[in-house]
Amino acid sequence: MADEAGPSFASDVSLQPANIHYAQHKRKELEAAIAPALGEVSPEEFRALLKFSDGDECPQVNIVPIVAPYIRDITKKTCHDLFNAIADELKGGGVLSTEFHEQGDLAPDDRPAGTFCRPDIVAYDKSQLIVEQPSGPRTRSKTKQLTPVVPTEFLAWTHLEATAEFASKGKSKADGLTQALTYTAYHLLARPDRVVVLGFYISHDSFILIITGASGTRCTTELSWTNVNHIQLLRDFIYRILKPSPHMVDPTITRNRDGGFDIKLNGENYSGCRLELIGRPIGRRTTIFFTQDANAPIIKEQYLRDSFSEAAIINEIHENGPIPGVIQVYDHQEFQEGDSAVVCSIDTERKRHKVRLALKESGTPFMDIQTPYEVLVATYDLLETTRCVYTNVDILHRDISKGNVLYRSAVSGKDKESESGPATSDDASAEEKGGHLSEEKPEKLAFCGVRHLLDNSHSREATPVLLIDFDHSIHVAEERPFSSAGTPVFQARAAAVTAPVDPGTGVLLRGMPDLSEAARPLYMKVLSDRVKRFPSRPTLDIILRTTQEAADREWFHQLRHDAESAFWLLLWWAIHVRPDNNKPPTLISDYFWKALITPDVNGRQSVFTMMEGSRWLDPAYEPLETLIRNMALQLRGDLHWITDEHPKEMKEPEYVHEALQRLIFNFLVENQNQPFMTQGRYRSRNRQVEKDTSETSDLTGDEVNQRRHSSRASRSTPATASSFMKRPQSEDLDGLKPPNKRQHTEP
């Protein structure tokens, strides 16, 4: 899923969080992610952000007499009473349904991020609260009625209108404010119908007001309970909670009482959409919905600063016929101008507008793949897809990561051929003409899924892989030197530093792998031209060294860097997966883990070194170590340093793809019937890291679902069980499948 990657421009470096693997359910990581986008402004500047106008002014009621009795005893309880008293005065006898509530021990429910964070005070919309009740006390009907209620134990993040954190003993003002900021970020992620959200940081003698949106977050200087001007700003702020400005809402999204959303796109209404995945709140603020429309099962929206069109680049990829494994666009729209404009301008220099796409296909996350056989098929086909996109349309994806590769287990292995007719081998035209196979790169590369190579009863173009998120893809001809994009933990080493990997005194690079005796006839039957273009050199060991000519050459993100990202993605799956075999769980080496999540050159070289040592996968999957180790031998050296003395095919952009695909294909042919290849994973938990038995960065799909519903389940207990429902602080930081995090922000 797209998030915050982008070309590496120096002006954006300051906006990057320090952590290298962003997991927004972990409050401290979210704090680090949003802190760089924070700006402190004066009360006058902050009031301008509330967007009052002549036709939309706050009632000029005097709330000083309301505040005065409270200022000597500002607590969570008295503060929420005060806010409700101010709200009642602003309603002026009206029937607005928003009121404030002291949240206590209950964490708001139903967030895709799975956080158990608890704001001290929340504003909520009573009209949005529902419970499911049978249609009658004795009826057998399965129909349920949605009945409006007011029990705040059913509050969800989607119900909230604002959040507040109250100063705690032993916590500094800076820490408390940062925590308040994270609550606005979680709130923003749960409210795609809002352009911005509002929040408070409150202490006994002062308060701070917060506004957060995709273009940044702003807070006031410290405001006093005894300053009349500050109290007037508090009044205006609470009014904006009761009645948001038109600039604060997205008119094309309607929030439903059941937690779903109705979304409009080019006049078509998609009702009952469900939040599925969410990205970083500050920046692109990527949001993914599941729809109820079979033609467009996914809606994706983002806030962008530039005119880049993901829809246009995806449509270009498929312009001359679909390329298997690439997502397709059903519809798209930019909400930048006119009555339908949805623009966030908290930071006027980084103003962002919303873009929405309806997508034709869906799948499950790469990390939810169940068996080694499936993950190797997916990895091979991922390499094939990126290879075809590059060769056929000169486009690089540049962000291969676990959030951007989906798996479709329901795709049949014997699907019909494409409408354009059965795909032929890459060398068919030469054979039909009676000519010889050419060593030249073909003008077009015909896609060939690995299941077709293994068994030609499978369609050549059928693949379970679905590559999504082309936000940071680029036409090769338009690429600038020394720029890159990607999710750091999956980035190629050179892409992470936008420079070639220094070979030092020399680094060994293994030659092109040979096809095994069993694999060769299957491969040659369909892809003999690739064998001609990339001769096998299994005994060739090449020592790469620095040369002045290569050192002076401009560096570009190239196809081989996407191949390396596919390798790190496969390793990420393999290191996490725990088998469902009733044996005691094994732990991930602390040293291996720390090296893996430190995606700089030294960290990755350490991973390569440790692969040569003791076992690092669960014993049930130990045979995979040999394959992954051999793949690593193709990546140790950076092909940037290849010279004319080396085999000429090593300069071909597809070289690394071919090498890795051959290794995977050999392994599949030799091992496809081995029991470990179909060993299922333990669905409810991944492996943990030794010395720290908390969760690793990812949870399984079952853990995600459990986390999403655990709060609601606990709330069915009697009120006397409130102490049981209070979660320890450490649970605020527990693991859930994170969305993508990027190293660079967009231009």
Side-chain angles (χ1 to χ4, degrees):
M1 181 186 66
D3 208 346
E4 304 317 312
S8 54
F9 294 105
S11 61
D12 283 338
V13 172
S14 62
L15 295 180
Q16 293 314 304
N19 59 306
I20 54 84
H21 186 56
Y22 171 71
Q24 65 190 10
H25 61 285
K26 298 184 178 183
R27 193 184 69 231
K28 288 187 177 180
E29 292 199 17
L30 187 59
E31 291 172 359
I34 67 173
L38 172 64
E40 184 180 81
V41 296
S42 68
E44 294 74 19
E45 292 172 313
F46 190 86
R47 190 181 189 281
L49 295 174
L50 300 180
K51 303 287 187 180
F52 287 108
S53 63
D54 292 339
D56 181 28
E57 277 290 340
C58 176
Q60 299 301 298
V61 297
N62 182 12
I63 66 167
V64 172
I66 298 175
V67 175
Y70 290 89
I71 59 177
R72 292 186 179 181
D73 185 27
I74 296 292
T75 66
K76 297 177 188 178
K77 175 66 171 63
T78 59
C79 189
H80 110 263
D81 289 342
L82 169 60
F83 288 174
N84 279 326
I86 295 172
D88 287 340
E89 185 70 18
L90 291 170
K91 292 175 186 176
V95 291
L96 294 176
S97 58
T98 297
E99 64 181 46
F100 291 86
H101 169 68
E102 183 186 355
Q103 188 65 7
D105 292 337
L106 295 174
D109 197 15
D110 293 343
R111 273 280 299 109
T115 177
F116 287 152
C117 287
R118 304 178 294 270
D120 290 324
I121 300 171
V122 298
Y124 70 98
D125 186 346
K126 291 186 295 183
S127 68
Q128 288 291 318
L129 292 180
I130 60 171
V131 293
E132 291 185 348
Q133 295 181 344
S135 56
R138 297 180 180 273
T139 180
R140 294 186 179 183
S141 170
K142 295 183 180 179
T143 304
K144 293 184 178 181
Q145 297 176 339
L146 299 179
T147 306
V149 292
V150 186
T152 53
E153 65 268 23
F154 281 90
L155 280 177
W157 284 93
T158 54
H159 297 140
L160 305 188
E161 306 301 320
T163 57
E165 170 69 5
F166 201 89
S168 301
K169 290 183 179 180
K171 182 179 292 186
S172 68
K173 171 195 164 186
D175 289 342
L177 176 59
T178 302
Q179 191 164 335
L181 290 168
T182 65
Y183 294 156
T184 64
Y186 283 127
H187 186 201
L188 186 69
L189 293 173
R191 292 296 303 271
D193 58 316
R194 288 293 178 88
V195 177
V196 298
V197 296
L198 307 179
F200 306 80
Y201 174 66
I202 306 163
S203 68
H204 298 286
D205 54 6
S206 65
F207 59 95
I208 294 173
L209 307 178
I210 304 165
I211 183 169
T212 298
S215 65
T217 185
R218 295 291 180 269
C219 69
T220 62
T221 54
E222 200 166 2
L223 306 178
S224 171
W225 293 108
T226 60
N227 185 300
V228 173
N229 291 330
H230 295 173
I231 295 303
Q232 288 175 340
L233 179 58
L234 174 65
R235 174 201 64 192
D236 295 346
F237 189 72
I238 290 178
Y239 181 74
R240 273 294 174 241
I241 295 173
L242 303 177
K243 185 181 177 183
S245 160
H247 300 86
M248 296 179 171
V249 299
D250 180 349
T252 66
I253 299 184
T254 301
R255 176 182 53 161
N256 299 325
R257 292 194 302 176
D258 64 355
F261 297 89
D262 295 344
I263 303 175
K264 293 180 180 178
L265 177 58
N266 284 325
E268 185 171 354
N269 187 60
Y270 296 85
S271 60
C273 298
R274 297 284 174 176
L275 268 175
E276 179 60 19
L277 294 171
I278 31 76
R280 192 182 308 281
I282 309 299
R284 290 179 178 268
R285 193 184 158 189
T286 302
T287 305
I288 304 294
F289 302 89
F290 280 176
T291 78
Q292 301 184 52
D293 190 319
N295 294 320
I298 298 292
I299 285 180
K300 170 186 176 180
E301 60 178 38
Q302 297 177 306
Y303 285 81
L304 303 181
R305 285 207 309 267
D306 53 30
S307 58
F308 173 84
S309 174
E310 182 186 10
I313 206 163
I314 293 175
N315 289 336
E316 181 179 347
I317 289 172
H318 296 298
E319 185 175 6
N320 295 318
I323 291 182
V326 177
I327 192 73
Q328 296 187 56
V329 175
Y330 180 75
D331 198 3
H332 74 282
Q333 184 177 0
E334 290 198 19
F335 300 90
Q336 190 170 7
E337 299 177 351
D339 295 337
S340 64
V342 181
V343 178
C344 184
S345 56
I346 293 176
D347 183 337
T348 56
E349 294 183 359
R350 298 183 179 275
K351 184 166 61 174
R352 292 174 176 268
H353 68 278
K354 182 173 282 191
V355 174
R356 185 172 296 147
L357 292 81
L359 303 171
K360 292 183 180 180
E361 300 124 314
S362 64
T364 59
F366 186 92
M367 288 300 294
D368 283 351
I369 294 176
Q370 295 298 305
T371 68
Y373 176 81
E374 292 173 306
V375 82
L376 294 180
V377 167
T379 305
Y380 183 100
D381 284 7
L382 171 62
L383 291 164
E384 184 74 1
T385 293
T386 54
R387 187 175 181 175
C388 286
V389 169
Y390 174 87
T391 303
N392 296 348
V393 291
D394 291 324
I395 289 174
L396 282 168
H397 186 278
R398 300 199 307 168
D399 190 20
I400 304 301
S401 63
K402 69 183 181 65
N404 294 339
V405 182
L406 302 182
Y407 186 80
R408 300 170 292 178
S409 57
V411 174
S412 170
K414 296 185 179 182
D415 285 344
K416 295 180 180 180
E417 302 289 352
S418 65
E419 294 181 1
S420 60
T424 59
S425 66
D426 293 343
D427 61 332
S429 59
E431 291 179 332
E432 290 170 1
K433 296 176 181 178
H436 297 287
L437 297 180
S438 172
E439 296 183 16
E440 299 299 323
K441 184 183 78 170
E443 291 185 4
K444 298 294 180 182
L445 194 67
F447 181 94
C448 183
V450 72
R451 292 187 302 186
H452 178 75
L453 290 177
L454 295 167
D455 178 0
N456 62 14
S457 66
H458 293 267
S459 167
R460 176 169 177 153
E461 295 187 353
T463 175
V465 163
L466 187 62
L467 182 59
I468 64 172
D469 192 351
F470 283 78
D471 291 344
H472 306 294
S473 60
I474 194 167
H475 291 86
V476 175
E478 298 175 0
E479 188 178 16
R480 287 179 286 181
F482 308 109
S483 68
S484 187
T487 304
V489 82
F490 303 105
Q491 272 186 313
R493 294 153 296 159
V497 296
T498 62
V501 178
D502 189 345
T505 58
V507 62
L508 175 67
L509 181 65
R510 187 65 52 83
M512 177 62 66
D514 198 0
L515 290 159
S516 68
E517 183 177 352
R520 175 170 288 276
L522 299 174
Y523 202 84
M524 290 293 292
K525 183 178 180 180
V526 184
L527 300 176
S528 56
D529 69 310
R530 300 189 188 185
V531 178
K532 182 70 172 179
R533 291 173 54 212
F534 300 101
S536 300
R537 305 182 192 273
T539 62
L540 178 63
D541 290 336
I542 300 169
I543 302 297
L544 296 179
R545 292 186 172 87
T546 303
T547 65
Q548 191 60 48
E549 182 275 330
D552 293 340
R553 191 188 315 138
E554 290 180 322
W555 182 92
F556 290 88
H557 188 123
Q558 297 187 30
L559 182 62
R560 64 174 180 268
H561 300 123
D562 282 4
E564 184 177 335
S565 291
F567 166 82
W568 295 118
L569 177 58
L570 172 61
L571 177 58
W572 191 256
W573 182 91
I575 202 71
H576 276 84
V577 68
R578 170 184 169 185
D580 186 11
N581 58 6
N582 297 319
K583 294 184 178 181
T586 60
L587 300 177
I588 303 172
S589 162
D590 179 60
Y591 297 105
F592 194 98
W593 177 254
K594 288 179 179 177
L596 183 61
I597 64 172
T598 307
D600 57 24
V601 173
N602 292 332
R604 290 305 165 84
Q605 293 300 125
S606 297
V607 172
F608 288 151
T609 301
M610 284 185 279
M611 282 181 180
E612 301 298 327
S614 59
R615 292 189 313 206
W616 33 276
L617 298 182
D618 186 277
Y621 303 111
E622 184 180 356
L624 287 175
E625 291 186 0
T626 300
L627 169 63
I628 295 174
R629 190 178 296 117
N630 287 335
M631 294 172 71
L633 291 174
Q634 297 293 327
L635 298 169
R636 282 180 176 270
D638 190 336
L639 292 180
H640 183 88
W641 305 106
I642 289 295
T643 69
D644 292 338
E645 297 177 357
H646 299 117
K648 63 179 181 179
E649 67 271 10
M650 299 186 78
K651 294 183 179 181
E652 289 290 329
E654 301 172 48
Y655 180 85
V656 176
H657 275 67
E658 178 68 21
L660 299 186
Q661 285 179 288
R662 284 193 196 179
L663 290 170
I664 294 172
F665 184 61
N666 283 342
F667 192 86
L668 284 168
V669 170
E670 301 295 333
N671 296 280
Q672 59 183 320
N673 296 320
Q674 296 297 316
F676 79 88
M677 290 290 276
T678 55
Q679 170 62 62
R681 67 186 300 166
Y682 191 72
R683 300 183 68 93
S684 61
R685 183 161 296 187
N686 283 329
R687 295 175 80 203
Q688 300 176 6
V689 180
E690 66 181 4
K691 299 183 181 179
D692 177 10
T693 55
S694 62
E695 308 299 336
T696 60
S697 295
D698 292 331
L699 297 188
T700 65
D702 282 1
E703 285 177 293
V704 172
N705 292 329
Q706 182 181 6
R707 177 64 70 87
R708 289 179 182 175
H709 300 295
S710 58
S711 311
R712 178 62 54 85
S714 69
R715 291 170 188 172
S716 63
T717 59
T720 55
S722 61
S723 61
F724 171 78
M725 292 187 288
K726 184 175 177 64
R727 298 176 175 83
Q729 180 68 18
S730 62
E731 285 203 59
D732 285 353
L733 307 179
D734 277 354
L736 178 73
K737 211 165 11 187
N740 302 338
K741 174 228 170 224
R742 311 294 203 272
Q743 183 175 7
H744 309 293
T745 55
E746 64 179 336

